[in-house]
Amino acid sequence: MQRRRTGLIAVVSALGMTATLAGCGGSGGSSEVTLKLVAADYGDSKANSSQKYWDKLAKEYEDDHPGVKVEVSVYSWTDVDRKVKEMVAAGDAPDLAQIGAYADYAAKGELYKVDDLLSIPVQANFVPQLTDAGQMDRTQYGMPFASSTRLLFYNKTLFSQAGITPPQTWSELAADARALKSEGVKFPYALPLGPEEAQAETMQWLLSGGGGYTDDVGTYSIDSPQNIKTFTWLKDELVGKGLTGPVAPAKLNRADAFSAFTRGEVGMLVGHPTLMQTAAKKGVKFGMVPMPGIDGRAKATMGVADWMMAFKKNNHGKQIGDFLNFVYDDKNVLAFSHEYNLLPVTASASEAMAADRNDQDLGPFLDQLPSSVLYPVGKTSWAGISADVKQQIAQAVSSSGSPTGVLSRLQITATTQDSAA
């Protein structure tokens, strides 16, 4: 998720500080414990930086837990994963990290099990799909901290001018794209397969075709017949017929596609909640529908989550757990979700959001969460495979490319790396 995250980080940081102090004595007999939290920034300016969110949360926690201090460091998404990796390598792991992936650290035995940190009610309150994605070898190490899903956005004005309605099937999507092209729309369907986030666009299309990166038992299935059929259709029916715009999918990044949508140049594209705000600010009249599938609406959509994890290095498990129980209180979860237009990661907060009239704009995304499928983040090989997809997948829809060839190469690499891991 690039997605979206200043508030969450601030909250975790603040909470982390407080929990540490309240927990117990530190080394050397000191009665004060300091929890160090490294978090990602979900804000897009100083005004909504996640640092502010976490500082507020930490102070609230510390006020009720004398003797606990929480030190929060917030970094951009460009830097935060690397920063944590460097800290761990230097033997200076933080107590808590809120970043994009947990599997490498869990595989090396560096993380607390969630069972050893959270109270049973808090742990049981996570949305089930997110709990499952936070597990490695059936043990949960990753705690979801922010989530979102995807919908098909369409420009209502352009659709009205072309006399068309939102698609529910692939054939309808192609027909709509042809109608939009005939009206001079620059990007009838924007297909961002550039290196920024090609793995996300790819996964959404694989799911809509009944496939995915892995099969039902978690084995990589990138070159499955369903996936090959999906990318063959994309190449022949959309890209090959000039329905994806003047920029080749390999050179179109998600951010550029979103910007084009806010300028009224895109008929359809896959988007997440952040796009609602930016498009509305630009005066674009848009609608959102579930992703079309082969014969009807797709049975599954892509979900995205960012992760909180706790390192064992400093032996602050008791304080960390207390702080995290506070972080995942509904009040704090909803505050973060509202600040950054994201979905709650707990069932009770999701229910509260669904019942709140002020949150109706997020309702369609919330409805998708129970059927969402997340990246295979429990695999230590996923980071490398994701990078390979970003660099190679666009070749599958190029005029000289072969969907079968590209997906088969990715599958061989995935199988090899997964076996090595």
Side-chain angles (χ1 to χ4, degrees):
M1 202 188 359
Q2 296 155 330
R3 4 184 177 128
R4 44 210 178 332
R5 3 199 107 305
T6 300
L8 272 179
I9 295 173
V11 175
V12 174
S13 298
L15 296 179
M17 293 164 99
T18 306
T20 304
L21 297 177
C24 66
S27 59
S30 171
S31 61
E32 180 177 277
V33 170
T34 297
L35 296 180
K36 294 182 179 180
L37 168 67
V38 175
D41 195 345
Y42 290 78
D44 55 13
S45 67
K46 261 192 171 181
N48 69 343
S49 165
S50 290
Q51 188 73 56
K52 289 186 175 181
Y53 179 82
W54 282 114
D55 288 348
K56 181 176 181 294
L57 196 64
K59 184 179 186 306
E60 183 179 346
Y61 180 84
E62 291 175 353
D63 287 347
D64 288 336
H65 299 78
V68 176
K69 181 179 180 182
V70 181
E71 294 180 356
V72 181
S73 300
V74 173
Y75 297 90
S76 71
W77 275 101
T78 304
D79 299 323
V80 68
D81 288 296
R82 173 183 55 79
K83 182 63 178 178
V84 172
K85 184 177 181 180
E86 291 173 350
M87 293 174 69
V88 173
D92 188 29
D95 295 288
L96 291 158
Q98 189 269 302
I99 52 179
Y102 65 87
D104 284 349
Y105 302 116
K108 295 175 183 176
E110 295 170 331
L111 302 181
Y112 282 107
K113 298 176 183 178
V114 177
D115 284 347
D116 296 334
L117 297 171
L118 300 180
S119 68
I120 293 176
V122 171
Q123 186 177 358
N125 197 26
F126 287 128
V127 174
Q129 283 80 356
L130 304 181
T131 294
D132 292 344
Q135 295 179 352
M136 172 181 284
D137 297 330
R138 299 184 180 180
T139 298
Q140 186 178 0
Y141 296 96
M143 291 160 278
F145 192 65
S147 67
S148 69
T149 56
R150 299 291 191 266
L151 290 169
L152 183 72
F153 282 67
Y154 66 97
N155 185 307
K156 287 185 174 182
T157 301
L158 297 179
F159 266 58
S160 178
Q161 292 172 353
I164 55 178
T165 57
Q168 295 188 33
T169 65
W170 285 2
S171 60
E172 290 177 2
L173 187 149
D176 284 350
R178 291 192 296 270
L180 290 164
K181 182 180 180 180
S182 68
E183 290 291 321
V185 175
K186 189 173 182 179
F187 295 91
Y189 178 85
L191 184 66
L193 294 179
E196 179 192 5
E197 206 182 28
Q199 84 286 359
E201 183 76 11
T202 296
M203 183 170 176
Q204 184 60 75
W205 276 100
L206 296 182
L207 291 171
S208 73
Y213 285 121
T214 60
D215 59 22
D216 292 341
V217 295
T219 302
Y220 281 115
S221 57
I222 299 174
D223 64 346
S224 69
Q226 298 97 316
N227 292 346
I228 291 173
K229 180 178 180 180
T230 294
F231 266 82
T232 299
W233 186 88
L234 283 172
K235 177 183 178 181
D236 295 345
E237 302 301 325
L238 288 187
V239 180
K241 293 185 177 178
L243 300 178
T244 54
V247 181
K251 297 184 179 300
L252 184 64
N253 282 319
R254 178 193 55 79
D256 297 327
F258 278 19
S259 294
F261 187 83
T262 64
R263 295 194 300 269
E265 299 174 352
V266 175
M268 298 173 280
L269 86 172
V270 174
H272 52 65
T274 302
L275 184 56
M276 293 191 302
Q277 290 183 329
T278 54
K281 288 178 181 178
K282 295 288 186 177
V284 176
K285 295 181 179 179
F286 63 90
M288 303 174 298
V289 294
M291 186 68 180
I294 299 175
D295 300 317
R297 289 179 174 173
K299 294 180 175 60
T301 190
M302 184 181 74
V304 177
D306 299 322
W307 302 96
M308 178 71 75
M309 62 210 70
F311 288 88
K312 297 188 289 187
K313 174 71 175 178
N314 300 317
N315 297 314
H316 289 157
K318 182 178 185 298
Q319 295 87 353
I320 291 171
D322 187 59
F323 176 67
L324 289 176
N325 285 328
F326 173 72
V327 170
Y328 285 107
D329 182 85
D330 278 358
K331 172 175 68 77
N332 298 322
V333 172
L334 286 168
F336 173 81
S337 300
H338 289 145
E339 179 68 25
Y340 301 102
N341 221 24
L342 292 166
L343 302 182
V345 296
T346 63
S348 56
S350 296
E351 291 170 0
M353 177 175 281
D356 191 337
R357 286 189 174 185
N358 294 324
D359 290 325
Q360 292 308 298
D361 56 342
L362 287 170
F365 294 95
L366 199 59
D367 291 342
Q368 297 289 301
L369 194 56
S371 63
S372 66
V373 177
L374 282 75
Y375 296 128
V377 291
K379 290 179 172 290
T380 57
S381 58
W382 170 242
I385 300 309
S386 175
D388 290 341
V389 171
K390 291 179 181 181
Q391 295 299 323
Q392 300 178 37
I393 196 63
Q395 299 171 15
V397 297
S398 67
S399 58
S400 59
S402 163
T404 300
V406 172
L407 295 176
S408 294
R409 287 196 299 273
L410 288 169
Q411 175 66 28
I412 291 172
T413 301
T415 300
T416 301
Q417 292 188 11
D418 201 38
S419 297

